[in-house]
Amino acid sequence: MWTILEHKGLAKEIASAPLQVREKYEFWKNVVRLSGPEGLRNVQGFHDEALAGKWAGFRSSRLSQAYRVIYQCNRELVTVTVERVSKHDYRK
């Protein structure tokens, strides 16, 4: 089972997101807890992908047309650290 760590400001980002995004994020977390990041590739619609540039080393999953969850994996500790849940703005 995987552990999900959330960035300290994530609760505020989630609270301001639309209900459908919050619900899909909860579903996303359940998939990660049970199947790890590999499980995200089996769920059609997440379009999970590696990021490049300033976000190299992170991955992105689609929660809606506009919202993404940005996260990073640590396989040694079996953790996924969620950095952001936001609209298409990948600035740190």
Side-chain angles (χ1 to χ4, degrees), residues 43-90:
V43 178
Q44 195 172 15
F46 279 135
H47 300 279
D48 189 74
E49 63 185 359
L51 298 177
K54 185 164 92 171
W55 286 99
F58 287 84
R59 297 191 65 81
S60 169
S61 289
R62 184 180 296 174
L63 299 178
S64 73
Q65 188 68 25
Y67 279 82
R68 305 289 185 270
V69 55
I70 309 294
Y71 69 97
Q72 193 170 35
C73 302
N74 184 332
R75 294 185 186 288
E76 292 176 11
L77 299 176
V78 193
T79 59
V80 170
T81 304
V82 178
E83 186 69 24
R84 298 185 78 174
V85 171
S86 62
K87 286 195 171 185
H88 252 308
D89 181 11
Y90 296 156

Side-chain angles (χ1 to χ4, degrees), residues 28-57:
W28 182 92
K29 289 193 306 184
N30 287 332
V31 170
V32 171
R33 277 189 198 104
L34 297 174
S35 304
E38 291 78 18
L40 296 171
R41 294 181 194 102
N42 297 326
V43 178
Q44 195 172 15
F46 279 135
H47 300 279
D48 189 74
E49 63 185 359
L51 298 177
K54 185 164 92 171
W55 286 99

